[in-house]
Amino acid sequence: MADSSFDIVSKVERQEVDNALNQAAKEISQRYDFKGADASISWSGDKIEMRANGEDRVKAVLDVFQSKLIKRGISLKALEAGEPQLSGKEYKIFATLQEGISQENAKKVAKIIRDEGPKGVKAQVQGEELRVSSKSRDDLQAVIALLKGKDFDFALQFVNYR
C-alpha cells in the first residue's frame, strides 16, 4: 500500500483578509468612539495601513481589525503589526501578512515530529512547506494532534491529506 501524506503550510486566504479589512473599515466609519479621530484602514501595496489622529485610536483600529480576522478564522500569528509611528499630525501602524514556513521553522517542526511523533513518520522540507508521510493514517492523525498541541510563533494549516 502507498504511503499516506499531508502538507503543513502557513498560508493566509487573501480574500478572507480583504473581507475582514472591509468589515473593520465599515465598523470604524460607523462607531461613535471613532468620530472625529480621522481613523481609517486600507491596503497600501502588500501592507495594511491603519491611521488615526491619536496613538490610542490607531491601536483601537488595529484591535477592531484583529477581532474581524479572528471571526473569519485567520490566525493572528499570520499578522505582523508594527508599532504606532507619528507621521505629521497622525499616527500610523503598518501590518504585513506572514506566509510560508521559513527553513529554520520547518526544521523545528520536522525535529518535533521526529522526536515526539510516532515511529515510521517521515517529514521533509519542500520549499516553504513540509510534507509528512507514513504508511499509517492513524500515525498522521497523531502527528496533526501533536502539532496542534504545540504553540508555534507562526500559523500552521494542514492540507492535501491523502
Side-chain angles (χ1 to χ4, degrees):
M1 188 173 125
D3 282 2
S4 299
S5 68
F6 68 89
D7 294 334
I8 301 173
V9 296
S10 182
K11 288 194 169 114
V12 177
E13 187 80 34
R14 178 81 178 203
Q15 185 61 51
E16 288 295 325
V17 174
D18 206 33
N19 291 342
L21 187 131
N22 291 334
Q23 286 179 336
K26 185 174 183 181
E27 182 174 321
I28 289 163
S29 71
Q30 293 175 344
R31 265 181 43 180
Y32 182 76
D33 57 334
F34 285 115
K35 293 276 188 265
D38 294 330
S40 67
I41 181 170
S42 62
W43 286 104
S44 174
D46 273 353
K47 293 183 177 179
I48 297 162
E49 179 183 16
M50 292 157 266
R51 47 174 69 206
N53 62 7
E55 187 173 353
D56 58 332
R57 290 290 93 207
V58 79
K59 285 181 178 177
V61 171
L62 176 62
D63 194 46
V64 168
F65 181 54
Q66 288 175 334
S67 72
K68 298 300 178 190
L69 286 175
I70 291 169
K71 284 183 181 175
R72 294 212 151 263
I74 297 171
S75 172
L76 292 183
K77 293 176 183 176
L79 184 72
E80 191 78 26
E83 290 298 311
Q85 301 166 337
L86 185 60
S87 171
K89 290 183 178 179
E90 63 184 6
Y91 284 87
K92 293 182 181 180
I93 294 179
F94 288 101
T96 56
L97 297 169
Q98 303 298 323
E99 289 195 298
I101 302 174
S102 70
Q103 292 289 59
E104 182 181 310
N105 288 335
K107 287 178 183 174
K108 280 186 202 170
V109 174
K111 183 172 180 2
I112 288 171
I113 293 170
R114 245 190 341 270
D115 295 348
E116 301 175 30
K119 297 283 181 251
V121 176
K122 297 186 287 291
Q124 50 195 136
V125 179
Q126 296 179 333
E128 291 190 336
E129 58 185 45
L130 199 66
R131 162 107 1 121
V132 181
S133 58
S134 172
K135 294 212 180 303
S136 164
R137 285 179 164 238
D138 292 341
D139 287 352
L140 293 180
Q141 293 283 343
V143 168
I144 290 175
L146 170 73
L147 293 177
K148 282 186 177 177
K150 298 285 181 191
D151 187 30
F152 295 104
D153 55 351
F154 51 95
L156 290 181
Q157 291 88 32
F158 306 101
V159 297
N160 294 340
Y161 185 77
R162 49 175 92 102

